[in-house]
Short mmCIF file of all heavy atoms in Angstrom, two decimals:
data_model
loop_
_atom_site.label_atom_id
_atom_site.label_comp_id
_atom_site.label_asym_id
_atom_site.label_seq_id
_atom_site.Cartn_x
_atom_site.Cartn_y
_atom_site.Cartn_z
N HIS A 100 -29.20 9.56 -0.42
CA HIS A 100 -28.67 10.93 -0.48
C HIS A 100 -29.12 11.66 -1.72
O HIS A 100 -28.42 12.50 -2.23
CB HIS A 100 -27.15 10.89 -0.37
CG HIS A 100 -26.68 10.28 0.92
ND1 HIS A 100 -26.79 10.94 2.13
CD2 HIS A 100 -26.16 9.07 1.21
CE1 HIS A 100 -26.32 10.16 3.09
NE2 HIS A 100 -25.93 9.02 2.55
N ASP A 101 -30.28 11.31 -2.21
CA ASP A 101 -30.85 12.04 -3.34
C ASP A 101 -31.62 13.23 -2.80
O ASP A 101 -32.71 13.10 -2.27
CB ASP A 101 -31.78 11.12 -4.15
CG ASP A 101 -31.02 10.00 -4.84
OD1 ASP A 101 -29.78 10.11 -4.94
OD2 ASP A 101 -31.66 9.04 -5.26
N HIS A 102 -31.02 14.41 -2.92
CA HIS A 102 -31.58 15.56 -2.21
C HIS A 102 -32.48 16.43 -3.07
O HIS A 102 -33.31 17.16 -2.54
CB HIS A 102 -30.44 16.41 -1.65
CG HIS A 102 -29.50 15.64 -0.78
ND1 HIS A 102 -29.94 14.89 0.29
CD2 HIS A 102 -28.16 15.47 -0.83
CE1 HIS A 102 -28.90 14.30 0.88
NE2 HIS A 102 -27.81 14.63 0.21
N MET A 103 -32.29 16.37 -4.38
CA MET A 103 -33.09 17.23 -5.25
C MET A 103 -33.38 16.48 -6.55
O MET A 103 -32.48 15.86 -7.12
CB MET A 103 -32.32 18.52 -5.55
CG MET A 103 -33.08 19.50 -6.44
SD MET A 103 -32.15 21.05 -6.63
CE MET A 103 -33.30 21.99 -7.62
N VAL A 104 -34.61 16.53 -6.97
CA VAL A 104 -35.01 15.86 -8.21
C VAL A 104 -35.74 16.86 -9.11
O VAL A 104 -36.73 17.46 -8.69
CB VAL A 104 -35.93 14.65 -7.93
CG1 VAL A 104 -36.33 13.97 -9.25
CG2 VAL A 104 -35.24 13.64 -7.00
N TRP A 105 -35.20 17.04 -10.30
CA TRP A 105 -35.86 17.88 -11.32
C TRP A 105 -36.62 16.94 -12.26
O TRP A 105 -36.03 15.99 -12.77
CB TRP A 105 -34.85 18.62 -12.20
CG TRP A 105 -33.76 19.40 -11.54
CD1 TRP A 105 -32.98 19.03 -10.50
CD2 TRP A 105 -33.28 20.69 -11.96
NE1 TRP A 105 -32.05 20.01 -10.24
CE2 TRP A 105 -32.22 21.03 -11.12
CE3 TRP A 105 -33.67 21.58 -12.96
CZ2 TRP A 105 -31.52 22.23 -11.25
CZ3 TRP A 105 -32.97 22.77 -13.10
CH2 TRP A 105 -31.91 23.10 -12.24
N SER A 106 -37.86 17.24 -12.51
CA SER A 106 -38.61 16.51 -13.54
C SER A 106 -38.66 17.38 -14.79
O SER A 106 -39.18 18.51 -14.74
CB SER A 106 -40.02 16.18 -13.06
OG SER A 106 -39.95 15.31 -11.94
N LEU A 107 -38.10 16.89 -15.88
CA LEU A 107 -37.91 17.70 -17.08
C LEU A 107 -38.59 17.07 -18.28
O LEU A 107 -38.77 15.86 -18.34
CB LEU A 107 -36.40 17.83 -17.36
CG LEU A 107 -35.61 18.57 -16.27
CD1 LEU A 107 -34.19 18.04 -16.19
CD2 LEU A 107 -35.60 20.06 -16.55
N VAL A 108 -38.94 17.94 -19.23
CA VAL A 108 -39.48 17.46 -20.50
C VAL A 108 -38.69 18.14 -21.62
O VAL A 108 -38.69 19.37 -21.72
CB VAL A 108 -40.98 17.77 -20.64
CG1 VAL A 108 -41.49 17.23 -21.98
CG2 VAL A 108 -41.76 17.17 -19.48
N HIS A 109 -38.04 17.33 -22.42
CA HIS A 109 -37.22 17.86 -23.50
C HIS A 109 -37.87 17.52 -24.84
O HIS A 109 -38.36 16.40 -25.01
CB HIS A 109 -35.81 17.26 -23.43
CG HIS A 109 -34.82 17.93 -24.33
ND1 HIS A 109 -34.72 17.61 -25.66
CD2 HIS A 109 -33.90 18.90 -24.10
CE1 HIS A 109 -33.76 18.36 -26.21
NE2 HIS A 109 -33.26 19.15 -25.28
N PRO A 110 -37.86 18.46 -25.78
CA PRO A 110 -38.52 18.18 -27.07
C PRO A 110 -37.96 16.97 -27.81
O PRO A 110 -38.69 16.29 -28.53
CB PRO A 110 -38.28 19.47 -27.88
CG PRO A 110 -37.28 20.27 -27.11
CD PRO A 110 -37.35 19.82 -25.68
N ASP A 111 -36.69 16.67 -27.62
CA ASP A 111 -36.10 15.51 -28.31
C ASP A 111 -35.99 14.28 -27.42
O ASP A 111 -36.11 13.15 -27.87
CB ASP A 111 -34.70 15.85 -28.83
CG ASP A 111 -34.72 17.01 -29.79
OD1 ASP A 111 -35.73 17.14 -30.52
OD2 ASP A 111 -33.76 17.80 -29.81
N HIS A 112 -35.71 14.52 -26.12
CA HIS A 112 -35.41 13.39 -25.24
C HIS A 112 -36.59 12.96 -24.38
O HIS A 112 -36.48 11.99 -23.63
CB HIS A 112 -34.22 13.74 -24.33
CG HIS A 112 -32.99 14.16 -25.09
ND1 HIS A 112 -32.33 13.32 -25.95
CD2 HIS A 112 -32.33 15.35 -25.14
CE1 HIS A 112 -31.29 13.97 -26.48
NE2 HIS A 112 -31.29 15.20 -26.02
N GLY A 113 -37.68 13.68 -24.47
CA GLY A 113 -38.87 13.28 -23.72
C GLY A 113 -38.79 13.66 -22.25
O GLY A 113 -38.05 14.56 -21.86
N ALA A 114 -39.55 12.94 -21.43
CA ALA A 114 -39.62 13.22 -20.00
C ALA A 114 -38.58 12.40 -19.25
O ALA A 114 -38.38 11.22 -19.53
CB ALA A 114 -41.02 12.91 -19.47
N PHE A 115 -37.91 13.05 -18.34
CA PHE A 115 -36.91 12.34 -17.52
C PHE A 115 -36.68 13.12 -16.24
O PHE A 115 -37.10 14.27 -16.11
CB PHE A 115 -35.60 12.17 -18.29
CG PHE A 115 -34.94 13.48 -18.66
CD1 PHE A 115 -33.96 14.03 -17.86
CD2 PHE A 115 -35.32 14.15 -19.82
CE1 PHE A 115 -33.37 15.25 -18.20
CE2 PHE A 115 -34.73 15.36 -20.16
CZ PHE A 115 -33.75 15.91 -19.36
N ASP A 116 -36.04 12.46 -15.31
CA ASP A 116 -35.68 13.14 -14.06
C ASP A 116 -34.18 13.39 -14.02
O ASP A 116 -33.39 12.59 -14.52
CB ASP A 116 -36.05 12.26 -12.84
CG ASP A 116 -37.54 12.26 -12.57
OD1 ASP A 116 -38.27 13.07 -13.17
OD2 ASP A 116 -37.97 11.43 -11.74
N LEU A 117 -33.82 14.50 -13.41
CA LEU A 117 -32.42 14.80 -13.11
C LEU A 117 -32.29 14.77 -11.59
O LEU A 117 -32.98 15.51 -10.89
CB LEU A 117 -32.03 16.19 -13.63
CG LEU A 117 -30.64 16.67 -13.20
CD1 LEU A 117 -29.55 15.86 -13.89
CD2 LEU A 117 -30.47 18.16 -13.49
N ILE A 118 -31.42 13.89 -11.10
CA ILE A 118 -31.33 13.67 -9.66
C ILE A 118 -29.99 14.14 -9.15
O ILE A 118 -28.93 13.76 -9.68
CB ILE A 118 -31.52 12.17 -9.35
CG1 ILE A 118 -32.89 11.71 -9.87
CG2 ILE A 118 -31.38 11.90 -7.85
CD1 ILE A 118 -32.94 10.24 -10.18
N TYR A 119 -30.03 14.96 -8.11
CA TYR A 119 -28.79 15.41 -7.48
C TYR A 119 -28.61 14.65 -6.17
O TYR A 119 -29.46 14.71 -5.29
CB TYR A 119 -28.82 16.92 -7.20
CG TYR A 119 -27.57 17.39 -6.50
CD1 TYR A 119 -26.37 17.48 -7.19
CD2 TYR A 119 -27.57 17.73 -5.15
CE1 TYR A 119 -25.20 17.88 -6.55
CE2 TYR A 119 -26.42 18.14 -4.50
CZ TYR A 119 -25.23 18.21 -5.21
OH TYR A 119 -24.07 18.61 -4.59
N SER A 120 -27.49 13.94 -6.07
CA SER A 120 -27.18 13.27 -4.81
C SER A 120 -25.89 13.85 -4.25
O SER A 120 -25.04 14.34 -5.00
CB SER A 120 -27.01 11.75 -5.03
OG SER A 120 -25.83 11.51 -5.76
N ASP A 121 -25.76 13.81 -2.95
CA ASP A 121 -24.58 14.42 -2.31
C ASP A 121 -24.44 13.85 -0.91
O ASP A 121 -25.03 14.35 0.05
CB ASP A 121 -24.74 15.94 -2.29
CG ASP A 121 -23.45 16.64 -1.86
OD1 ASP A 121 -22.52 15.98 -1.34
OD2 ASP A 121 -23.38 17.87 -2.02
N THR A 122 -23.60 12.82 -0.79
CA THR A 122 -23.49 12.10 0.47
C THR A 122 -23.09 13.02 1.62
O THR A 122 -23.73 13.04 2.67
CB THR A 122 -22.44 10.98 0.34
OG1 THR A 122 -22.78 10.19 -0.79
CG2 THR A 122 -22.42 10.12 1.59
N ARG A 123 -22.02 13.75 1.42
CA ARG A 123 -21.51 14.54 2.55
C ARG A 123 -22.16 15.91 2.66
O ARG A 123 -21.92 16.63 3.62
CB ARG A 123 -19.99 14.67 2.42
CG ARG A 123 -19.28 13.36 2.69
CD ARG A 123 -17.81 13.45 2.40
NE ARG A 123 -17.09 14.21 3.40
CZ ARG A 123 -15.77 14.42 3.38
NH1 ARG A 123 -15.06 13.93 2.39
NH2 ARG A 123 -15.20 15.13 4.30
N ARG A 124 -22.91 16.26 1.65
CA ARG A 124 -23.63 17.54 1.64
C ARG A 124 -22.70 18.75 1.79
O ARG A 124 -23.03 19.73 2.47
CB ARG A 124 -24.71 17.57 2.74
CG ARG A 124 -25.74 16.46 2.60
CD ARG A 124 -27.04 16.78 3.30
NE ARG A 124 -26.91 17.03 4.72
CZ ARG A 124 -26.89 16.09 5.65
NH1 ARG A 124 -27.01 14.82 5.30
NH2 ARG A 124 -26.78 16.40 6.92
N PHE A 125 -21.54 18.66 1.19
CA PHE A 125 -20.67 19.83 1.13
C PHE A 125 -21.03 20.70 -0.08
O PHE A 125 -20.51 21.78 -0.23
CB PHE A 125 -19.21 19.41 1.02
CG PHE A 125 -18.61 18.92 2.31
CD1 PHE A 125 -17.32 18.45 2.35
CD2 PHE A 125 -19.34 18.95 3.48
CE1 PHE A 125 -16.76 18.00 3.55
CE2 PHE A 125 -18.80 18.51 4.68
CZ PHE A 125 -17.50 18.03 4.71
N GLY A 126 -21.86 20.17 -0.94
CA GLY A 126 -22.29 20.95 -2.09
C GLY A 126 -23.35 21.95 -1.70
O GLY A 126 -23.84 21.95 -0.56
N PHE A 127 -23.71 22.83 -2.62
CA PHE A 127 -24.82 23.74 -2.35
C PHE A 127 -25.41 24.21 -3.66
O PHE A 127 -24.78 24.13 -4.72
CB PHE A 127 -24.42 24.91 -1.47
CG PHE A 127 -23.28 25.73 -1.97
CD1 PHE A 127 -23.50 26.87 -2.74
CD2 PHE A 127 -21.98 25.40 -1.65
CE1 PHE A 127 -22.44 27.64 -3.19
CE2 PHE A 127 -20.91 26.16 -2.11
CZ PHE A 127 -21.14 27.29 -2.88
N ILE A 128 -26.64 24.68 -3.56
CA ILE A 128 -27.37 25.16 -4.72
C ILE A 128 -27.96 26.51 -4.37
O ILE A 128 -28.52 26.70 -3.29
CB ILE A 128 -28.47 24.15 -5.11
CG1 ILE A 128 -27.81 22.89 -5.72
CG2 ILE A 128 -29.47 24.77 -6.09
CD1 ILE A 128 -28.75 21.76 -5.98
N ASP A 129 -27.80 27.46 -5.29
CA ASP A 129 -28.35 28.80 -5.06
C ASP A 129 -29.01 29.28 -6.35
O ASP A 129 -28.84 28.69 -7.41
CB ASP A 129 -27.23 29.75 -4.62
CG ASP A 129 -27.77 30.94 -3.82
OD1 ASP A 129 -29.01 31.08 -3.70
OD2 ASP A 129 -26.96 31.72 -3.32
N LEU A 130 -29.77 30.34 -6.20
CA LEU A 130 -30.50 30.91 -7.32
C LEU A 130 -30.02 32.34 -7.46
O LEU A 130 -30.11 33.13 -6.51
CB LEU A 130 -32.00 30.85 -7.02
CG LEU A 130 -32.98 31.17 -8.13
CD1 LEU A 130 -32.82 30.18 -9.29
CD2 LEU A 130 -34.41 31.11 -7.58
N LEU A 131 -29.48 32.67 -8.63
CA LEU A 131 -28.88 33.99 -8.82
C LEU A 131 -29.65 34.78 -9.86
O LEU A 131 -29.98 34.26 -10.93
CB LEU A 131 -27.43 33.84 -9.30
CG LEU A 131 -26.52 32.85 -8.58
CD1 LEU A 131 -25.14 32.86 -9.21
CD2 LEU A 131 -26.45 33.17 -7.10
N SER A 132 -29.90 36.04 -9.55
CA SER A 132 -30.52 36.89 -10.56
C SER A 132 -29.45 37.52 -11.45
O SER A 132 -29.69 37.81 -12.61
CB SER A 132 -31.38 37.97 -9.91
OG SER A 132 -30.62 38.64 -8.92
N ASP A 133 -28.24 37.67 -10.89
CA ASP A 133 -27.15 38.26 -11.67
C ASP A 133 -25.83 37.59 -11.30
O ASP A 133 -25.18 37.99 -10.34
CB ASP A 133 -27.08 39.76 -11.41
CG ASP A 133 -26.04 40.43 -12.30
OD1 ASP A 133 -25.36 39.72 -13.08
OD2 ASP A 133 -25.89 41.66 -12.21
N PRO A 134 -25.43 36.56 -12.04
CA PRO A 134 -24.21 35.82 -11.69
C PRO A 134 -22.98 36.72 -11.56
O PRO A 134 -22.11 36.46 -10.74
CB PRO A 134 -24.06 34.84 -12.87
CG PRO A 134 -25.44 34.66 -13.38
CD PRO A 134 -26.12 35.99 -13.19
N ALA A 135 -22.93 37.76 -12.36
CA ALA A 135 -21.73 38.63 -12.33
C ALA A 135 -21.58 39.31 -10.98
O ALA A 135 -20.48 39.67 -10.56
CB ALA A 135 -21.81 39.67 -13.44
N GLU A 136 -22.71 39.49 -10.30
CA GLU A 136 -22.67 40.19 -9.02
C GLU A 136 -22.56 39.23 -7.84
O GLU A 136 -22.49 39.66 -6.69
CB GLU A 136 -23.94 41.04 -8.85
CG GLU A 136 -24.07 42.16 -9.87
CD GLU A 136 -22.92 43.14 -9.77
OE1 GLU A 136 -22.59 43.58 -8.65
OE2 GLU A 136 -22.33 43.46 -10.83
N ASN A 137 -22.55 37.95 -8.14
CA ASN A 137 -22.57 36.99 -7.04
C ASN A 137 -21.22 36.92 -6.34
O ASN A 137 -20.18 36.78 -6.97
CB ASN A 137 -22.95 35.61 -7.56
CG ASN A 137 -23.06 34.61 -6.43
OD1 ASN A 137 -22.12 33.88 -6.15
ND2 ASN A 137 -24.19 34.61 -5.76
#
Side-chain angles (χ1 to χ4, degrees):
Chain A
H100 299 287
D101 293 344
H102 305 307
M103 181 176 183
V104 180
W105 310 44
S106 297
L107 297 149
V108 181
H109 190 278
D111 301 327
H112 304 297
F115 62 95
D116 285 349
L117 173 70
I118 301 154
Y119 178 73
S120 70
D121 189 347
T122 307
R123 289 173 73 180
R124 301 203 301 276
F125 284 177
F127 56 93
I128 289 173
D129 204 354
L130 191 62
L131 313 180
S132 51
D133 185 358
E136 296 299 312
N137 184 263

